[in-house]
Every structure is written in structure tokens, then in C-alpha cells.
Amino acid sequence: MEPPQHAIGKADEALLAELGYKQEFKRAFTPLEVFGIAFSIIGLLPSIASVLFYAVPNGGPASMVWGWAVTSLFILCVGLSMAELGSAAPTSGGLYFWTHALSSPRCRNLLAWIVGYANTIGTIASVASIDWGCAVQIMAAVSIGSGQTFTATSAQTFGVYVAIVLSHAVICCLGTAVLARLQTVYVVINVCLCFAVIIGLPAATPKANMNSASYALGNFTNLNGWPDGYAFILSFLAPAWTIASFDSSVHISEESSNAATAVPWAIVSAVAIAGILGWAINVSLAFCMGTDVSSLLNSPIGQPMAQIFFNSFGQNGTLALWSFVVLAQYMMGSSMVLASSRQTFAFSRDGALPFSSYLYRMNSFTKTPVNTVWFVAIISIILGMLSFAGSQAINAIFALSVTALYIAYAIPMTARFVFTNDFKPGPFNLGIFSLPIAIIAVSYMLVMDIVFLFPTTPQTDVANMNYTVVVLGGILTLSIMWYYCPVYGGVHWFTGPVPNIGKGSEGSVSSVRESEEKNVNVNVRRGPLEFDTRRIPILVHHQI
């Protein structure tokens, strides 16, 4: 009898073969490490620090506490729906693969194309926003250390940002086993940071800065000029950006052990734990932030959470704690580059991206897609140049990452129920709750995609407009123009996910299944849509 781990590995490889792909990555991620990458990208404390400037002026403490609670419940529905799809077909292509498989033959190619581009730009924008947040946090630390006499320029912050992105690219070129082991470290640091703030901040805050329960849980401070109800909804961007990019677990599914089970539970547990701990952090901040909300936003430190810490811990204590916040944010960025490079690799594997023949290459030494790592880094640096157009322009990358990803999330969830298909759930199955949860998830994402395109204030100009609609709309418009381009457009050659496994593999797939079923009880089954190698040509040739 062969060891159970070997049988699980063969089962994973067999399932991937049924989806049409050969095993190219090392399956070095354990279930805990699959959870780790989703949870480390969520980041919690450093993520909340990066986007606190969205919640504070749009409702203050009430939005921080109750906006988080409401949004996290909606996001949990999104995570549950995605987990079902991820359990049924765990492949790096994930979202656009599911879209093509579940949609009507009349529109599956176009929808897969849109989802692939939205997911790719969404993950790259996530890299840019995380690393920009890290650069701002580093500059905040310099300001605190200088006695708040230093104020970073856009050029200085951009220089730090470029250095962070390039260092992440170097890290993500390492072997899969090294990247997998790092995720456990990331989880430990993130959890410790959360409890340090939940417990330590109230203990250290002077009584003069402590707020009453009625203020912390009920005060609504609206500084941006929108009606209170709409301002409250705008504050949702903070938790929406924080608890996002959990599809990262899907993108490393071809590197995960027992992916059909590990991936969905990683998504759901990361979202649920982040929702609970994040709410506790916001409650702690609301009680300890004082009542002068404007001073937090206009602080010379340039970072609302850093100013809250400074008011409570003093200079030395804040620098000590803030160094770990920066470290956790830095780790978030490396995990996000890892996930984004895998999505880019999968999309280029199917020939949809420019320079796909160059991007779809596996480094023979590290067994990682080095070319796509550097592609992600370069595009992230280009997005970072928005900083020279003003603070509102660079802040648009936070909204861009959410809106683009929500487009990519919503389409396959919708396709599963509105088109005729033979979807078969994997080990993670919501049963009769699948449809109502999907309706809640898609409705939430639709509303948020509209809301997050609006400017920060009702009165705006070119410098203060929301550039999300420009960047996202421009990229999606160009991608659709390329799709319909005469002669060379994707409409003439793109057929969705392209199998890269030969017909001769079918026998090996069967033998793998037979051998592992005799040795260990592992969840091995036909793919969600009966994706074995005999049916792949049907998917490829179903066109308009």
C-alpha cells in the first residue's frame, strides 16, 4: 500500500487531467498553507490601516464598526459561492475556466475573455494597492521617527513603492516549497498583530482619548458631503478591499495538496476569521480614536491608524508596533504577487494575453512562472504612476482592485444558474442554499461595483475624480476591442481554456484513479462538468 500522501497527489493530478491540464507545478502547499495565502493577502490589521481613510470620513466610528459587520456578511456569501466552484474545479484559471464551462456556447468565449481580463487586472491592481499601502506606511514610520517633521513627496513614496514591488518579484521567483513555507509565518504574524491591537490598544490609550460606548458604536460623522445613507455604503470599500482577493487560493490550486477540499475551506475560513477579527479590531479602534476625526485624516503622519497608535502608544511604542504592521503589509504584497502571477500564467496558457507565448513559460530550475511574475511587477509599477496625478488618482487602485475582481467573481456565479449546464459539486457543497447565497453574493457585488465608481465627494474636478472608471473601463474596452478586432481578434481564435494534456494521458488518469482508490479513501471523482479528456474537444469547438 502506497503512502496516503502519494495517493492524494495522484488524485489531484488525475482531477487536473480531467479538467484538461497536465501537472506543471509542484504540489507543495498543504491545506494550512492554502489557507495561509488567502489569510495573509487579507492581512487584516495592515489592510485596515491602508483603507481606514475610506471609513473615517464616511461615517466615522459607526461606519467602522457596523459597516464592517454588514459588509463582512455579504463577503462571506461571496466566499461560500466561490468555494463551491473551487471545490468542483480546482484549477489555476479558476474564474474564467468556470465561466467558460458553465456558460452557453453562444457567449462562453466572450464571457471567459472578459472574466479573464477582469481577474488579471484585479489581481494586479491588488498588488499595486497593497504595495502602495506599504510604501505609505513606511513613510508614516519615517514621519513618526522624525517627530512629524518629515512629509513624504509623491516621488519619494513612489520610489519606495517601486523598490517594494521589485523585491516581491524576486521573492516570488523562488521555488514553490519556499513560498509555501512562508505562508505559515505570515499567518502567525497577522494573528499576533490582531490580538496586540484588540487587547493592547485599549490598555494603552489615555482616558482622554477613550470614547464612550454610545460614541464608538453610534456616532456618525460624515465629512465628505454625500447623504448619510450613501456615505455609509461608501465606507464599505474599507472591508471590501480588506477581505478580498481570497480567490488567491484558487490560483494556487494546482500547487495544493488535496485541492478539491483544501481550496474551498481555505476560502471560507479565511473570510470568516477575517470578518470576526476585523470587526474586533474596528471596535477597538472606535473606542480608542478620540473624537477629533478630522485631525486623524489631516495628521502630518499621513496615516489615520498610525496617528491613533501615536496618540495611545507614544513615539517609541508606535514605531515598535508599526514596524510589524509594515512587515505584515509587505508579506501581503508578496503573497498577492504570487497569486497574481499564477492567474496571469493560467490566462496566458490559454493564449489570451498579449505575449502569451513568452509569459507561458515555466522556469526549469525553480519550477515557477518567472516571466509572469515580472510581468505582474511591471504592470503594477505602471499603475503606481497614478500617484503623480494626485492622491485621488492613486487611491483609485484600491477601488479598481475591488470592482475588477467583483466583475470576475460575479459572472461565473451567475453563469452557474442562468445557463443550462451539468454542474456537479465537489466535496464542498451548499446544497439547497447554493442559489439563495449566490443571489445575495451577486446582488451585493453588482451594487458595490456601481457605488465604488463614484467620486469621494459630490463636488469634484479632474484632480479629485474617481479614476477607477477610467482605468477599469479603459482596460475592459481595449480587451473587448481586441477580441473583436478583424482578422487578429480573439473572436477568430480564442476558444476558452485550452487543454495541454495529450490524449495518451487518459489511460494514465484511469490507472491513477484505480490505484489510489485501492489504497486510500480520497475524494476523487469526475470533474464538475464531466471534464475528462474525451469531452474537452466539445468545449473547444462550441462557438457561435
Side-chain angles (χ1 to χ4, degrees):
M1 179 180 291
E2 64 180 330
Q5 198 61 35
H6 289 176
I8 292 174
K10 289 184 177 180
D12 285 326
E13 187 173 344
L15 178 56
L16 186 61
E18 291 177 346
L19 298 176
Y21 297 121
K22 62 185 178 182
Q23 187 69 49
E24 297 179 279
F25 292 96
K26 291 181 179 178
R27 289 194 180 266
F29 282 77
T30 65
L32 176 61
E33 290 160 349
V34 178
F35 161 79
I37 191 170
F39 191 74
S40 66
I41 287 174
I42 289 173
L44 275 187
L45 185 65
S47 290
I48 295 172
S50 294
V51 290
L52 197 59
F53 66 90
Y54 275 107
V56 170
N58 287 303
S63 287
M64 291 165 58
V65 174
W66 303 117
W68 183 282
V70 172
T71 310
S72 60
L73 292 175
F74 284 119
I75 296 173
L76 181 59
C77 292
V78 177
L80 287 168
S81 290
M82 183 184 294
E84 270 199 305
L85 295 171
S87 179
T91 176
S92 296
L95 300 163
Y96 78 90
F97 182 96
W98 305 333
T99 299
H100 190 271
L102 297 169
S103 300
S104 165
R106 292 180 176 273
C107 59
R108 60 169 37 139
N109 291 341
L110 176 60
L111 290 178
W113 181 276
I114 293 173
V115 168
Y117 270 92
N119 196 198
T120 300
I121 190 58
T123 57
I124 295 176
S126 295
V127 171
S129 56
I130 290 170
D131 284 359
W132 182 260
C134 187
V136 171
Q137 289 168 6
I138 290 173
M139 290 309 189
V142 175
S143 177
I144 294 170
S146 68
Q148 303 184 37
T149 60
F150 171 80
T151 302
T153 64
S154 296
Q156 290 169 330
T157 307
F158 180 75
V160 174
Y161 167 77
V162 171
I164 293 170
V165 173
L166 294 178
S167 66
H168 283 156
V170 172
I171 291 173
C172 289
C173 289
L174 300 175
T176 302
V178 176
L179 297 172
R181 302 297 90 82
L182 287 173
Q183 304 310 312
T184 303
V185 178
Y186 295 174
V187 170
V188 172
I189 292 177
N190 270 295
V191 172
C192 290
L193 265 177
C194 291
F195 284 106
V197 171
I198 293 170
I199 299 172
L201 184 60
T205 301
K207 289 185 177 180
N209 288 337
M210 286 293 292
N211 294 323
S212 64
S214 61
Y215 182 89
L217 303 179
N219 177 267
F220 194 91
T221 302
N222 182 359
L223 300 179
N224 283 339
W226 289 106
D228 287 353
Y230 193 74
F232 180 70
I233 296 174
L234 281 174
S235 74
F236 289 5
L237 181 59
W241 184 83
T242 301
I243 313 177
S245 297
F246 40 82
D247 59 311
S248 55
S249 294
V250 176
H251 298 313
I252 62 161
S253 57
E254 294 180 27
E255 302 166 70
S256 309
S257 175
N258 200 14
T261 299
V263 168
W265 281 109
I267 292 171
V268 175
S269 55
V271 171
I273 293 173
I276 295 169
L277 288 180
W279 185 79
I281 290 172
N282 276 282
V283 169
S284 179
L285 291 172
F287 272 95
C288 302
M289 64 189 289
T291 57
D292 191 355
V293 174
S294 297
S295 68
L296 299 178
L297 296 171
N298 301 318
S299 162
I301 294 176
Q303 233 289 343
M305 184 180 286
Q307 185 62 51
I308 294 173
F309 287 177
F310 185 82
N311 294 340
S312 298
F313 295 112
Q315 179 173 319
N316 294 334
T318 299
L319 284 174
L321 180 59
W322 198 249
S323 63
F324 286 98
V325 173
V326 173
L327 178 61
Q329 182 87 358
Y330 182 85
M331 292 174 172
M332 285 171 58
S334 67
S335 295
M336 194 65 238
V337 172
L338 172 65
S340 183
S341 66
R342 273 31 175 194
Q343 157 61 23
T344 307
F345 175 83
F347 205 34
S348 62
R349 177 171 59 187
D350 296 324
L353 289 174
F355 314 111
S356 286
S357 59
Y358 175 77
L359 294 174
Y360 177 44
R361 294 182 185 178
M362 189 73 69
N363 185 276
S364 59
F365 179 73
T366 63
K367 300 298 182 184
T368 55
V370 171
N371 291 1
T372 57
V373 169
W374 287 104
F375 174 82
V376 168
I378 291 170
I379 301 300
S380 298
I381 291 173
I382 293 173
L383 284 176
M385 292 179 181
L386 284 170
S387 61
F388 296 107
S391 59
Q392 291 302 321
I394 189 61
N395 289 342
I397 61 173
F398 291 90
L400 173 62
S401 63
V402 175
T403 52
L405 289 176
Y406 277 4
I407 290 172
Y409 293 175
I411 292 177
M413 294 177 190
T414 303
R416 175 185 168 185
F417 294 102
V418 301
F419 294 118
T420 301
N421 53 62
D422 54 351
F423 177 84
K424 291 181 176 61
F428 185 91
N429 180 16
L430 298 175
I432 61 173
F433 297 104
S434 293
L435 179 57
I437 288 177
I439 291 173
I440 294 172
V442 172
S443 300
Y444 157 76
M445 289 187 287
L446 176 62
V447 172
M448 290 301 99
D449 265 358
I450 296 172
V451 168
F452 294 157
L453 296 179
F454 278 75
T456 303
T457 62
Q459 297 78 32
T460 190
D461 52 28
V462 174
N464 295 313
M465 69 171 284
N466 188 337
Y467 281 80
T468 303
V469 67
V470 177
V471 179
L472 179 59
I475 291 173
L476 290 182
T477 299
L478 288 175
S479 69
I480 293 174
M481 288 174 62
W482 183 33
Y483 182 81
Y484 284 111
C485 179
V487 183
Y488 301 105
V491 69
H492 302 291
W493 51 264
F494 181 71
T495 56
V498 178
N500 66 1
I501 191 167
K503 293 182 179 179
S505 300
E506 186 174 353
S508 62
V509 171
S510 299
S511 63
V512 167
R513 183 179 296 103
E514 291 170 2
S515 63
E516 61 81 22
E517 284 177 347
K518 291 177 182 178
N519 288 288
V520 65
N521 183 21
V522 182
N523 258 317
V524 182
R525 70 235 182 300
R526 286 287 181 197
L529 305 176
E530 299 296 331
F531 279 163
D532 64 359
T533 51
R534 291 170 294 186
R535 279 206 62 202
I536 288 170
I538 298 177
L539 296 180
V540 171
H541 296 298
H542 267 155
Q543 302 182 46
I544 296 174

